[in-house]
Amino acid sequence: LQIKEDKKLLADGSERITKKKALIFPRYHQLDVVRRLIADVQENGSGVNYLIQHSAGSGKSNSIAWTAYRLASLHNEDNASVFSSVIVVTDRTVLDAQLQETISGFDHTMGAVETIGEDKNSKDLRDAINNGARIIVTTLQKFPVIYQEVDKVAGRNFAIIVDEAHSSQTGSSAMKLKSALADTEAALREYAEIEGKAEDEIDRNDKLVQEMITHGKHPNLSFFAFTATLEMFGTPWDDGTFHPFHIYSMRQAIEEGFILDVLQNYMTYNTCFKIAKNTDENPELPESRATKIIKKYEKLHPY
């Protein structure tokens, strides 16, 4: 059940907002991906990365919303929450309005969803994480400001749903996200064991230690990436290749009529030129250079 706001501009210039309830049934691939993700998390716990490769026209916002709510309410055999918080991260500087509205539209418990939009700052994000908000929707760019201000995360697991995770996920903002949420104590213990040192001997500001914290997997972080780079979030196979956890292809979206086939009316054409020699000198030019000059002349010529 989704609640949508309908805004109507009145004659006096004021806005009237009415809320409408709509019952939404998931399409097969949406139901399938949510069920498979939840089943895998129940079996393997936190610390696993998932790549969901869904095309445009797949209803990705709804898939993300349903996944977020199911993960937020997921409990283990001891009836303890698997994740302290589910953090939905979008890479757009302005928080994606559609995604924010979709997730908030399913919110039936006041305060269950915390959206850190344009009207809020990084400190609001810090407080939401520290207070254990069930679902947090934020931009990636807010993490560098607060990555050292998040309270102790030992014993706390986080599900991070990443919308459109491409090259930006390897950048400094993504590293600060990991620094903020990763259980660094566990990582430092592991590093101390490898180096054969006591934990208090390890310099936390050492570049090598920081690299180890911000790269690789962490047992308390699960990433759910909707369209992303295979090597970072894909499932590794025995042959060393990486594969998506779930696929809804562009071909399928076209066949089901949710997006248009842009190649259906695709046409190619050849352009021919007849060059007339009208100068006394006929300079010899490499064919590629001559072709570029002719095309440029033809494109820029007024008639």
Side-chain angles (χ1 to χ4, degrees):
L1 193 67
Q2 188 178 35
I3 299 168
K4 287 189 176 183
E5 287 188 352
D6 186 34
K7 294 179 182 179
K8 190 176 182 180
L9 194 65
L10 301 176
D12 60 357
S14 62
E15 253 185 6
R16 186 176 65 193
I17 299 173
T18 54
K19 292 186 176 182
K20 293 180 180 178
K21 292 182 179 180
L23 193 62
I24 299 176
F25 289 91
R27 286 150 61 188
Y28 174 78
H29 68 275
Q30 292 174 317
L31 188 67
D32 187 54
V33 70
V34 175
R35 284 181 172 174
R36 284 183 58 192
L37 284 170
I38 298 305
D40 199 88
V41 173
Q42 283 178 322
E43 184 179 342
N44 298 307
S46 68
V48 183
N49 290 348
Y50 304 89
L51 172 60
I52 300 95
Q53 212 165 58
H54 283 193
S55 150
S58 67
K60 193 171 58 173
S61 292
N62 279 346
S63 298
I64 288 174
W66 284 319
T67 302
Y69 278 98
R70 290 298 307 276
L71 290 171
S73 60
L74 193 62
H75 289 69
N76 59 21
E77 293 173 353
D78 301 322
N79 205 30
S81 294
V82 176
F83 299 108
S84 301
S85 295
V86 178
I87 302 174
V88 182
V89 180
T90 178
D91 189 35
R92 298 164 185 84
T93 307
V94 177
L95 189 62
D96 185 83
Q98 184 191 353
L99 185 59
Q100 183 181 339
E101 284 173 16
T102 302
I103 295 173
S104 300
F106 289 114
D107 181 15
H108 301 304
T109 309
M110 288 300 290
V113 177
E114 192 81 46
T115 54
I116 314 297
E118 282 185 283
D119 56 333
K120 295 183 181 178
N121 57 32
S122 297
K123 288 185 173 60
D124 295 307
L125 171 61
R126 177 200 63 193
D127 294 341
I129 295 170
N130 288 342
N131 295 335
R134 299 306 300 150
I135 298 172
I136 301 166
V137 189
T138 183
T139 56
L140 184 63
Q141 288 78 9
K142 283 193 167 68
F143 275 95
V145 183
I146 55 104
Y147 77 102
Q148 291 178 320
E149 298 177 20
V150 175
D151 290 346
K152 293 279 185 184
V153 293
R156 295 172 68 193
N157 298 331
F158 296 95
I160 300 152
I161 300 177
V162 190
D163 180 25
E164 298 291 354
H166 293 291
S167 57
S168 59
Q169 285 302 311
T170 60
S172 61
S173 295
M175 290 178 185
K176 296 296 190 293
L177 180 151
K178 282 190 176 181
S179 292
L181 302 176
D183 188 347
T184 52
E185 300 303 319
L188 287 168
R189 278 197 300 273
E190 182 187 345
Y191 182 70
E193 285 175 18
I194 294 168
E195 292 294 307
K197 295 179 181 180
E199 276 182 64
D200 54 7
E201 291 178 56
I202 303 296
D203 180 8
R204 291 166 182 262
N205 297 318
D206 182 87
K207 279 190 175 180
L208 193 61
V209 175
Q210 290 300 316
E211 281 290 307
M212 186 193 68
I213 290 169
T214 56
H215 288 85
K217 292 183 179 180
H218 293 277
N220 74 316
L221 301 183
S222 290
F223 281 87
F224 302 80
F226 281 75
T227 70
T229 48
L230 275 171
E231 290 75 11
M232 186 165 290
F233 298 105
T235 306
W237 284 15
D238 294 336
D239 60 1
T241 58
F242 293 86
H243 297 266
F245 180 81
H246 198 274
I247 295 176
Y248 178 80
S249 66
M250 192 176 283
R251 177 191 289 272
Q252 191 173 344
I254 290 167
E255 287 174 354
E256 292 178 357
F258 285 97
I259 57 173
L260 294 173
D261 182 2
V262 293
L263 298 179
Q264 194 170 23
N265 299 310
Y266 183 78
M267 291 176 65
T268 61
Y269 64 91
N270 295 324
T271 307
C272 300
F273 298 97
K274 185 176 182 181
I275 310 302
K277 179 184 174 184
N278 58 2
T279 58
D280 295 332
E281 292 178 5
N282 191 19
E284 289 286 330
L285 289 171
E287 188 179 338
S288 60
R289 190 183 161 203
T291 305
K292 282 180 183 176
I293 293 168
I294 293 166
K295 282 183 177 177
K296 188 178 178 183
Y297 178 83
E298 181 258 340
K299 281 184 180 177
L300 297 179
H301 198 277
Y303 59 87

